[in-house]
Amino acid sequence: LGKSVNLTAVKDTGYLFVGWVGTGSGSVTSRSVTILVKPSGGAITEFAVFRPIAAPTWTLDVQATGIPAGQNYSVTIDGVTYSGVGTFAVTNISSGNHLFSAPMAYSEPTVNTRYVASGIATSFGTASGPVFVGANGTVTVSFTPEYLLTIATTTGGTVSGASNGDWLSPGAIETLTATASTGYHFVAWNGTGVGSYSGSTASISVTANGPITELAQFVVNPVP
């Protein structure tokens, strides 16, 4: 009784000391790390209060190149996908290593052009592997377009060469050949899109400067 005691609060890594809460005569309630207590009338209790340090989080501004204005696109960070138009912000990214990727984006309302991520760069380095994020920064996704090739036929023949539904890089050249079935003959190609072909030549080449549709038209041979 009456003996003074020094108490010092020692925090663990990742925690902050909040303060002492004392009860009883001679106790101390204080924010000081070290306190002096002196019981003067019975038992006292001193409770040291600690709280975890909130881990810092960061904001990444996401932007894109090689994609039309107004085109929706996405970026995936550690398997979570965030999407937007133009430049958009991704918040609450924790400190540490993160994996970045970008899904393909498709034109709307007609899904005949898609944009494939050709590279991702951050203000902390290229995202070819885990990227350490430890501050606010930027993410730039570079996209390259690809164009849909649609091939159709009327009854009476087939098309060889490229396949319906192929995705073509800008400037890609594809050869198509229309072959009539027995009892039919080829009439013409009806093409739409920049780089398409319309005409009566059975074997043609088309150049993908945009989405292309080619319809091979066949008719029944006349009865002798």
Side-chain angles (χ1 to χ4, degrees), residues 14 18-19 21 26 65 91 106 127 129 141 168 171 173 176 192 199 203 208 212 217:
V18 177
V21 177
T65 62
T91 59
Y106 289 85
V141 185
L168 308 179
I173 299 174
L176 305 176
T192 58
S203 184
I212 292 175
Q217 297 174 306

Side-chain angles (χ1 to χ4, degrees), residues 40-126:
S40 59
I44 65 172
T45 299
E46 290 290 346
F47 184 66
V49 180
F50 301 89
R51 67 173 176 82
I53 300 173
T57 59
W58 312 105
T59 296
L60 301 179
D61 291 325
V62 182
Q63 57 192 13
T65 62
I67 203 167
Q71 170 69 49
N72 185 278
Y73 68 97
S74 304
V75 64
T76 299
I77 305 175
D78 296 333
V80 180
T81 300
Y82 308 86
S83 62
V85 174
T87 299
F88 60 90
V90 176
T91 59
N92 297 322
I93 301 300
S94 61
S95 294
N97 290 318
H98 298 276
L99 291 174
F100 292 80
S101 61
M104 287 182 289
Y106 289 85
S107 61
E108 296 178 358
T110 56
V111 187
N112 54 17
T113 301
R114 71 182 184 184
Y115 301 91
V116 182
S118 55
I120 303 175
T122 74
S123 52
F124 317 106
T126 57

